[in-house]
Amino acid sequence: MAIGRNTQSAIFRDGAIGRLPLVPTAWAELEGRAHQAMSRRAWAYVAGSAGNESTTAANRAALDRWRIVPRVLRDVEHRDLSVELFGHRYPSPILAAPVGVLGLVRPHGDLDIARAAAALGVPYILSTQASVPMERVVAAMGHAPHWYQLYWSSSDDLVESLVSRAEASGAQAIVVTLDTHLLGWRPRDLDLGYLPFAHGEGIAQYTSDPVFARLVDERMSAAPDSPRPRITPQTIRTLVDITRNHPGAFRSNLRSRRPRASVDTFLDVFSRSSLTWENLAFLRGRTSLPILLKGVQHPDDATRAVAEGVDGIIVSNHAGRQIDDALGSLDALPGIVERVDGAIPVLFDSGVRSGADVFVAMALGATAVCVGRAYTYGLAIAGQRGAAEVLRNLIAEFDITLGLSGNARADSIPRDAVARV
Ligand SMILES: Cc1cc2nc3c(=O)[nH]c(=O)nc-3n(C[C@H](O)[C@H](O)[C@H](O)COP(=O)(O)O)c2cc1C
Ligand SMILES: O=C(O)C(=O)c1ccccc1
């Protein structure tokens, strides 16, 4: 698949022989087609945000207040889209954000997006809420780069196990998401009474984990009133196999004892609202990978992150899915970039819909940009190839915007390339 400037000519060349793109390039059409392709529940979960969804609107408004100011006559024929992060050079500043429960969008959606990202060299940040265990996703990616996103469980042992699995699987960084220690108030899901996890969807990292299996055993043996099947290593292997090969089987089996206990255990241990800065030492002591904090919005938290020796920050409000009436994520970026002052990379997400949006965030000091809903919509419309097309289009539009604005390098877009209006 052609990357960057070649994409546009490839699209037109294909068109000349009657081969049309699989996914629309404009956002409104992309979103509309994804809506048609998804079930009611999947659409509510993916497209829904917190409360009246004013934060999602604020994310857009924040991006729209910045306009690109092009420069001319600057020889931009050879452009370099690559960026360096933690000693790795990636082909463009775009990363695939961690998106949980992709199995809701498409059977084995995690594998589709993993393969799509791998084909483009786009780093994929695997979610703790994935529908497919991380080892299987990584196996589908060959040697392509991936990171791991951690939800910090109330069980230290489980945190340790997830992180060591991620490290063993070759993850290049650990992203700790801090803005979702409670599930946001999301009317679209509430009105359907539907949370995927309660149906056993999106808990594959847990059901494939040996420490989690032990927690489930403990829960089951602590309920002596109900019949207690003997748990042997074979039982555990069988459950892992069932989840791996037949996610639907796990769901239909939810009323039986072990799947039900797995869901209940997940709901118990999923997160820890008592987490503080002091806990970071625990993680630091258990991995040598770079640690990024995702969900930072206040400059003082960015200052503290640097002081605590964190390796990177992702300025994000979770696409507006957590707090209604929150600051547009891009409005938080310049203040944080100023505070961090180059000490560590500052990544950005929430609301990015185009290559031009990526350019704006980079001009405001982001080292790289993550996208979530964009590729999820491509996945819904046309699976692996749809997700790949969305990522390819973002990179191509970014490349063209870079060149047309008179810039040749993604990693050094000057601040005056954008103006606030
Ligand atoms: C359906 C959905 C599921 C998500 N699941 C996770 C997750 O498991 N972990 C996480 O850190 N962020 C999760 N996010 C947030 C994304 O990582 C990212 O911050 C956000 O989608 C960026 O905004 P955008 O969708 O406007 O690009 C999710 C977002 C969506 C839309
Ligand atoms: O839906 C989400 O955005 C998400 O990341 C999440 C993860 C776990 C529990 C609830 C929500």
Side-chain angles (χ1 to χ4, degrees):
M1 184 175 273
I3 299 199
R5 78 180 101 179
N6 300 324
T7 299
Q8 205 178 34
S9 43
I11 291 173
F12 290 134
R13 247 196 332 267
D14 280 353
I17 55 167
R19 207 185 307 148
L20 291 179
L22 293 171
V23 300
T25 43
W27 183 264
E29 283 73 26
L30 181 73
E31 192 176 44
R33 287 271 304 281
H35 188 176
Q36 286 167 12
M38 279 192 239
S39 69
R40 233 155 47 108
R41 286 170 162 184
W43 177 249
Y45 181 67
V46 172
S49 285
N52 293 313
E53 307 195 340
S54 77
T55 302
T56 301
N59 285 340
R60 280 314 312 166
L63 277 156
D64 289 340
R65 271 194 296 276
W66 290 93
R67 317 303 304 175
I68 296 166
V69 188
R71 303 295 302 272
V72 297
L73 294 172
R74 304 218 303 187
D75 185 3
V76 291
E77 184 172 357
H78 301 288
R79 297 181 294 283
D80 184 353
L81 304 190
S82 71
V83 295
E84 193 182 309
L85 282 164
F86 313 117
H88 301 280
R89 193 152 272 283
Y90 300 125
S92 88
I94 295 169
L95 287 86
V99 169
V101 212
L102 288 174
L104 201 61
V105 175
R106 194 106 180 165
H108 304 117
D110 304 75
L111 297 177
D112 290 336
I113 172 61
R115 292 190 181 109
L120 294 164
V122 167
Y124 176 35
I125 310 179
L126 276 63
S127 165
T128 294
Q129 297 316 128
S131 304
V132 177
M134 63 179 104
E135 291 80 5
R136 236 187 120 201
V137 173
V138 171
M141 295 184 73
H143 295 288
H146 69 276
W147 296 5
Y148 180 71
Q149 175 266 324
L150 175 75
Y151 277 127
W152 198 307
S153 164
S154 60
S155 157
D156 275 345
D157 289 351
L158 183 56
V159 171
E160 189 166 1
S161 180
L162 290 169
V163 169
S164 75
R165 286 170 62 196
E167 199 159 339
S169 80
Q172 294 176 338
I174 302 285
V175 171
V176 186
T177 300
L178 300 175
D179 56 17
T180 311
H181 58 86
L182 301 168
L183 173 63
W185 183 256
R186 300 180 185 168
R188 297 198 211 194
D189 296 331
L190 291 166
D191 292 350
L192 293 176
Y194 180 74
L195 182 67
F197 315 107
H199 294 252
E201 295 272 11
I203 59 171
Q205 307 298 18
Y206 300 82
T207 51
S208 58
D209 191 280
V211 169
F212 185 79
R214 197 189 73 214
L215 298 174
V216 175
D217 290 346
E218 284 166 12
R219 164 182 284 270
M220 288 174 75
S221 54
D225 48 325
S226 35
R228 195 186 329 158
R230 232 171 74 74
I231 301 301
T232 63
Q234 183 55 49
T235 323
I236 295 167
R237 277 198 296 276
T238 305
L239 179 77
V240 169
D241 265 4
I242 289 174
T243 330
R244 178 178 297 161
N245 299 320
H246 309 283
F250 185 84
R251 213 179 328 143
S252 61
N253 212 7
L254 211 55
R255 286 184 200 289
S256 76
R257 216 165 157 243
R258 189 164 187 92
R260 188 70 252 164
S262 299
V263 168
D264 290 342
T265 306
F266 161 74
L267 294 171
D268 268 2
V269 303
F270 156 67
S271 90
R272 190 186 306 196
S273 290
S274 63
L275 208 67
T276 69
W277 292 98
E278 279 66 43
N279 293 104
L280 290 178
F282 175 88
L283 190 58
R284 186 73 294 165
R286 275 154 190 83
T287 179
S288 54
L289 293 174
I291 296 172
L292 294 92
L293 301 185
K294 177 168 182 275
V296 174
Q297 293 278 282
H298 197 294
D300 289 354
D301 284 341
T303 303
R304 180 79 189 258
V306 174
E308 296 287 344
V310 163
D311 302 285
I313 285 172
I314 305 184
V315 173
S316 166
N317 61 24
H318 215 101
R321 295 161 67 79
Q322 287 299 97
I323 304 178
D324 200 12
D325 292 343
L327 186 67
S329 191
L330 193 82
D331 285 330
L333 181 65
I336 288 176
V337 165
E338 193 184 335
R339 275 301 176 86
V340 169
D341 196 21
I344 54 175
V346 177
L347 281 68
F348 171 79
D349 81 27
S350 297
V352 171
R353 294 177 177 176
S354 69
D357 291 341
V358 174
F359 181 94
V360 169
M362 299 289 287
L364 291 176
T367 313
V369 172
C370 309
V371 296
R373 283 191 181 120
Y375 77 71
T376 307
Y377 291 165
L379 177 72
I381 297 166
Q384 178 185 332
R385 287 168 62 208
E389 268 193 19
V390 167
L391 292 172
R392 175 201 69 173
N393 291 347
L394 284 167
I395 297 168
E397 190 191 351
F398 173 72
D399 175 39
I400 288 171
T401 307
L402 190 73
L404 288 175
S405 66
N407 293 285
R409 296 183 62 89
D411 64 5
S412 49
I413 301 172
R415 179 66 160 67
D416 70 358
V418 292
R420 194 182 156 98
V421 292

